[in-house]
Amino acid sequence: MNIYRYEENPLITPLDVVPYHDGYEVIGAFNGGVAKYGDETLLLLRVAEKPIAEHENEVVAPYFNVKEQKLERVSFDKNDPTYNFDDPRMIRHKDNLGGFIYLTSISYIRIARSKDGHNFTLDKEPFLYPFNEYQTFGIEDARVMQMEDTYYITFSAVSECGVADALVTTKDFKTYDYKGNIFAPENKDVLLFPEKINDKYYALHRPSAKNIGELDIWLASSPDLVNWGDHKRLIGVRQNSYDDGRVGGGCTPIKTEAGWLILYHGATKKHRYVMGAALLDLNDPSVVLKRTTEPFLEPVAEYEKNGFFGDVVFACGTVQEGDTLKMYYGVADTSMAGCEMKISDLLHHLERTSCLTK
Amino acid sequence: MNIYRYEENPLITPLDVVPYHDGYEVIGAFNGGVAKYGDETLLLLRVAEKPIAEHENEVVAPYFNVKEQKLERVSFDKNDPTYNFDDPRMIRHKDNLGGFIYLTSISYIRIARSKDGHNFTLDKEPFLYPFNEYQTFGIEDARVMQMEDTYYITFSAVSECGVADALVTTKDFKTYDYKGNIFAPENKDVLLFPEKINDKYYALHRPSAKNIGELDIWLASSPDLVNWGDHKRLIGVRQNSYDDGRVGGGCTPIKTEAGWLILYHGATKKHRYVMGAALLDLNDPSVVLKRTTEPFLEPVAEYEKNGFFGDVVFACGTVQEGDTLKMYYGVADTSMAGCEMKISDLLHHLERTSCLTK
């Protein structure tokens, strides 16, 4: 299908972002949630800042000290055999490579604003910065759902307690109300449906289980967007597919005549991230009507293939204008890109390649 | 502190239970939730049935086929190097010993009834038997909370989808209403508080995270017992303690003048399970007032030390009569035992040994 990648891509790179912390470098400005606010397009960027090591063999991990309300750092020696430093994103114990102890950067949410959707200006201050014990390792991958004049922002809260999902609401993108962790660990990629369906709110979420279960997308329902129940597995990983490693919701679900259009990321076991689509029943989002067997967006451009963690396209939001969908997406865990497509094209692509094997 | 173990212990063993399935043996009748119903004490036993292998080198895994609505089995060869059979409870892939592929038995809930609380008669039929795709590997560890004439029963729903927590309600212990999975995977040990506190319901739950986070007890709140939010870590594992491996809620919280009395299981990294206690603020259960540094019940009796999985005491419910607390508990993942203690003694024990290090 036709995808028009913006000529200005990547739209925002780490070089465009002045670090908020002394002694840190910005290594990522990516995975931005998207909001239309007044006449502006806002990207709620995940900015990742990494402490600058003092010597070649030092690996530094930042964390937010809640009591002191300041960012601190822990130093590791690259040659310390207790730890594994192979994944540049994290510090792992050598005996537990399936988990991590610290991250090597701290993420928070900073807003980039644009009148034309192509050229963005960054705020100087963070919008969402760690403020409690569930966010000591950072705030990641915000998604925005708008209902009337209120914006509902979900994000991953990362700490030694686990990775939970929190909710804040705002009307002005300056101040916000904290609604707590709405999904318990371990969970990521929470997407709120933008309206009630048969008197219930719905969300997609992506649990990560310790003992059994894949990295699948689940559906939950709620009376109030804050309290969630009736958890059901919705979109699972598929063997021998582009999404055999993990799946996770990407953009706020889009209402079409054919059903709820879900744009999700799928990754292989080797961590190549692409974008797939699914269509859910308008009146019962627990019914998957269609699902792509071929991704509609794959990392092919240089900025998608190379970066801090390459071969990643990871969309967190869209702006819809009639049949045109402007999708903004993180690339290579480093920068932000944008593209445009027709919703009708996406629906044709779904029609043509659909397969419902879970 | 003084604990009086019943002389009839173990009260129920697998030998007392006629298998529900042809070709199966009962290997466990344990971890029973507790309800007072009319003049009877009910134990909502977890009955574990294991398919009888056809030859010495066969390991069989049962699963419930939802479509066919019948129990089926998968056969493994003990000498197949792809799998690991060291843990008698499960079949694991050799490359992922932190998780499992199949369980070697299927659990469901069967009721044992008693007028005196010591001598129990078992129902012939299961009360809660797998009925959907989230329960194909079984239903485990029920807990019961009573509010007026309605009993709220939570349990672990185990399947290849993950381990979720579900809720059913009943008024007669014959029929029930299914309320869905109220906590997403991976989660166990859900305990509902028996009344609203400042207009909210509360629950304890125990997530299991893949990448980071310990096996801690969390608190959540709800408007309706079905939808849950505001997840907070409440009672964490403690290094160099009886609960340095995992903790999980045990019995429905007990209201005392001093606070909400929480009886929880704690296990070491080597899987020795004991019972500890904590006290939460009456008006705000997110505040831990006290917590034992010494367990109040440990596996010392022969039936607690030896069995399918030894060195385990695992309480799932109590009956309160004034200052007397009758606690029923699973032993060695095999049988049920009972004991009595004074609530005042427990509060003194908490007072004497309390330590609030998380």
Side-chain angles (χ1 to χ4, degrees):
Chain A
M1 60 168 281
N2 281 327
I3 299 248
Y4 162 57
R5 285 172 170 83
Y6 290 159
E7 281 151 31
E8 298 91 341
N9 278 348
L11 301 179
I12 301 164
T13 77
L15 294 175
D16 300 320
V17 186
V18 178
Y20 181 64
H21 306 97
D22 289 339
Y24 282 67
E25 57 181 333
V26 173
I27 59 163
F30 61 121
N31 296 5
V34 182
K36 197 78 194 170
Y37 177 63
D39 62 350
E40 290 192 320
T41 299
L42 306 191
L43 296 181
L44 276 70
L45 289 181
R46 170 177 168 190
V47 170
E49 298 197 6
K50 183 184 169 80
I52 296 166
E54 299 202 343
H55 52 84
E56 199 182 315
N57 286 327
E58 190 186 27
V59 179
V60 196
Y63 71 95
F64 184 71
N65 182 326
V66 180
K67 214 173 192 176
E68 307 284 336
Q69 288 285 303
K70 68 175 186 188
L71 200 59
E72 299 194 348
R73 49 167 78 193
V74 189
S75 179
F76 292 86
D77 183 337
K78 251 183 204 162
N79 299 314
D80 187 337
T82 312
Y83 303 101
N84 180 295
F85 304 100
D86 289 350
D87 187 323
R89 301 172 297 181
M90 56 188 71
I91 294 160
R92 296 180 289 180
H93 194 281
K94 70 172 170 48
D95 296 333
N96 181 19
L97 298 182
F100 65 87
I101 305 171
Y102 281 101
L103 298 178
T104 52
S105 63
I106 189 148
S107 292
Y108 59 87
I109 307 301
R110 200 152 149 182
I111 297 179
R113 299 167 194 262
S114 173
K115 300 257 189 227
D116 63 6
H118 293 244
N119 298 286
F120 285 85
T121 307
L122 256 82
D123 283 3
K124 288 206 168 61
E125 302 274 323
F127 172 54
L128 294 174
Y129 191 82
F131 55 86
N132 69 20
E133 65 178 296
Y134 304 105
Q135 303 160 1
T136 55
F137 292 169
I139 290 177
E140 301 181 355
D141 299 350
R143 269 75 168 216
V144 189
M145 182 276 278
Q146 180 182 359
M147 229 168 10
E148 296 173 0
D149 64 346
T150 302
Y151 297 81
Y152 296 80
I153 304 167
T154 55
F155 57 84
S156 300
V158 186
S159 74
E160 60 171 9
C161 298
V163 182
D165 294 299
L167 171 67
V168 300
T169 61
T170 186
K171 293 188 185 220
D172 58 10
F173 290 97
K174 289 176 192 160
T175 59
Y176 57 83
D177 289 327
Y178 178 58
K179 304 293 185 183
N181 292 318
I182 59 171
F183 290 92
E186 184 167 337
N187 209 307
K188 285 185 167 185
D189 301 324
V190 170
L191 275 305
L192 305 175
F193 285 66
E195 61 182 66
K196 277 191 172 180
I197 303 162
N198 290 322
D199 209 36
K200 282 181 186 169
Y201 294 107
Y202 285 88
L204 306 177
H205 62 101
R206 212 289 303 284
S208 303
K210 187 183 179 74
N211 283 295
I212 191 164
E214 304 285 346
L215 296 165
D216 300 331
I217 297 172
W218 287 58
L219 182 76
S221 66
S222 170
D224 53 16
L225 292 167
V226 172
N227 299 289
W228 295 90
D230 202 17
H231 300 276
K232 293 176 177 172
R233 185 167 70 159
L234 186 72
I235 296 172
V237 299
R238 294 178 294 197
Q239 295 312 307
N240 306 315
S241 177
Y242 63 83
D243 47 13
D244 65 358
R246 63 178 66 203
V247 290
C251 308
T252 298
I254 298 158
K255 196 174 186 180
T256 75
E257 283 183 12
W260 288 102
L261 179 59
I262 306 298
L263 309 185
Y264 72 91
H265 62 263
T268 59
K269 292 193 171 88
K270 290 189 174 170
H271 310 299
R272 181 177 185 263
Y273 282 74
V274 302
M275 292 299 299
L279 202 62
L280 310 181
D281 188 282
L282 273 185
N283 294 307
D284 180 359
S286 73
V287 177
V288 181
L289 301 173
K290 295 188 192 303
R291 179 173 171 192
T292 51
T293 51
E294 291 169 25
F296 70 88
L297 183 72
E298 298 182 79
V300 291
E302 189 279 333
Y303 52 84
E304 295 165 346
K305 294 183 73 69
N306 301 305
F308 183 59
F309 199 85
D311 260 337
V312 173
V313 292
F314 191 100
C316 294
T318 60
V319 173
Q320 188 186 348
E321 289 174 6
D323 191 36
T324 298
L325 198 63
K326 302 176 178 183
M327 188 174 83
Y328 295 92
Y329 59 107
V331 290
D333 276 13
T334 305
S335 302
M336 279 302 292
C339 64
E340 281 184 25
M341 67 201 93
K342 297 290 178 198
I343 291 176
S344 48
D345 276 0
L346 252 177
L347 294 175
H348 286 140
H349 179 75
L350 264 164
E351 191 70 47
R352 189 172 59 78
T353 76
S354 184
C355 169
L356 285 190
T357 313
K358 265 195 191 176
Chain B
M1 60 170 282
N2 281 326
I3 299 246
Y4 162 58
R5 286 173 168 82
Y6 290 159
E7 281 152 31
E8 298 91 340
N9 278 350
L11 302 178
I12 300 164
T13 78
L15 295 174
D16 300 320
V17 186
V18 179
Y20 181 64
H21 306 97
D22 290 338
Y24 282 67
E25 58 180 333
V26 173
I27 59 163
F30 62 122
N31 297 3
V34 182
K36 198 76 195 171
Y37 177 63
D39 62 349
E40 290 191 319
T41 298
L42 307 190
L43 296 181
L44 276 71
L45 288 181
R46 170 178 169 189
V47 170
E49 298 197 6
K50 184 185 168 80
I52 295 166
E54 299 200 345
H55 52 84
E56 198 182 315
N57 286 328
E58 189 187 28
V59 179
V60 196
Y63 71 94
F64 184 72
N65 182 326
V66 181
K67 213 173 191 176
E68 307 284 337
Q69 288 285 303
K70 68 176 185 187
L71 200 58
E72 300 195 348
R73 48 166 81 194
V74 188
S75 179
F76 292 85
D77 182 336
K78 250 183 206 162
N79 299 315
D80 187 337
T82 312
Y83 303 102
N84 180 295
F85 303 101
D86 290 348
D87 188 324
R89 300 172 299 180
M90 57 188 72
I91 294 160
R92 296 179 288 179
H93 194 280
K94 70 172 171 50
D95 296 333
N96 181 19
L97 298 182
F100 66 86
I101 304 171
Y102 281 101
L103 298 178
T104 53
S105 63
I106 190 149
S107 292
Y108 59 86
I109 306 302
R110 199 151 149 183
I111 297 178
R113 299 167 195 262
S114 173
K115 299 257 191 229
D116 63 6
H118 293 243
N119 298 286
F120 286 85
T121 307
L122 256 84
D123 284 3
K124 288 207 168 59
E125 302 275 322
F127 171 55
L128 294 174
Y129 192 81
F131 55 86
N132 69 21
E133 65 177 297
Y134 305 104
Q135 303 160 1
T136 55
F137 292 169
I139 289 178
E140 302 181 355
D141 300 348
R143 270 74 169 216
V144 189
M145 183 276 280
Q146 180 182 1
M147 231 169 7
E148 296 172 2
D149 63 346
T150 302
Y151 297 82
Y152 296 81
I153 303 167
T154 56
F155 57 84
S156 299
V158 186
S159 75
E160 60 171 8
C161 297
V163 182
D165 295 299
L167 171 68
V168 300
T169 61
T170 187
K171 292 187 185 222
D172 59 10
F173 290 97
K174 289 176 190 158
T175 59
Y176 57 82
D177 289 327
Y178 178 58
K179 304 293 184 184
N181 292 318
I182 60 171
F183 290 93
E186 184 166 340
N187 209 308
K188 286 186 165 183
D189 302 323
V190 170
L191 276 304
L192 305 176
F193 285 67
E195 61 183 66
K196 277 192 172 180
I197 303 162
N198 290 321
D199 209 36
K200 283 181 184 168
Y201 293 107
Y202 285 88
L204 305 177
H205 63 100
R206 213 289 304 281
S208 302
K210 187 183 178 75
N211 283 295
I212 190 164
E214 304 285 346
L215 297 165
D216 300 330
I217 297 172
W218 286 58
L219 182 76
S221 65
S222 170
D224 53 16
L225 293 166
V226 171
N227 300 288
W228 294 91
D230 202 16
H231 300 276
K232 292 176 179 172
R233 184 166 70 158
L234 187 72
I235 295 172
V237 300
R238 293 178 294 198
Q239 295 312 306
N240 306 314
S241 177
Y242 63 83
D243 47 13
D244 65 359
R246 63 178 65 202
V247 290
C251 309
T252 297
I254 298 158
K255 196 175 187 180
T256 74
E257 283 183 13
W260 288 102
L261 180 59
I262 306 298
L263 309 184
Y264 72 91
H265 62 264
T268 58
K269 292 193 170 88
K270 291 189 173 171
H271 310 299
R272 181 176 186 263
Y273 282 73
V274 302
M275 293 298 300
L279 202 62
L280 310 181
D281 188 283
L282 273 185
N283 294 307
D284 180 1
S286 74
V287 177
V288 181
L289 300 173
K290 294 185 192 304
R291 179 172 172 192
T292 50
T293 51
E294 291 169 24
F296 70 88
L297 183 72
E298 299 182 78
V300 292
E302 189 279 334
Y303 52 85
E304 296 164 346
K305 293 183 73 67
N306 301 306
F308 183 60
F309 199 84
D311 261 337
V312 173
V313 292
F314 190 100
C316 295
T318 60
V319 172
Q320 188 186 348
E321 290 174 4
D323 191 36
T324 298
L325 198 64
K326 302 176 178 182
M327 187 174 83
Y328 295 93
Y329 60 105
V331 289
D333 276 14
T334 306
S335 303
M336 279 303 291
C339 65
E340 282 184 24
M341 67 201 95
K342 297 290 178 197
I343 291 176
S344 48
D345 275 2
L346 253 178
L347 294 176
H348 284 141
H349 179 75
L350 263 165
E351 191 69 47
R352 191 171 57 78
T353 76
S354 183
C355 169
L356 286 189
T357 313
K358 265 197 187 171

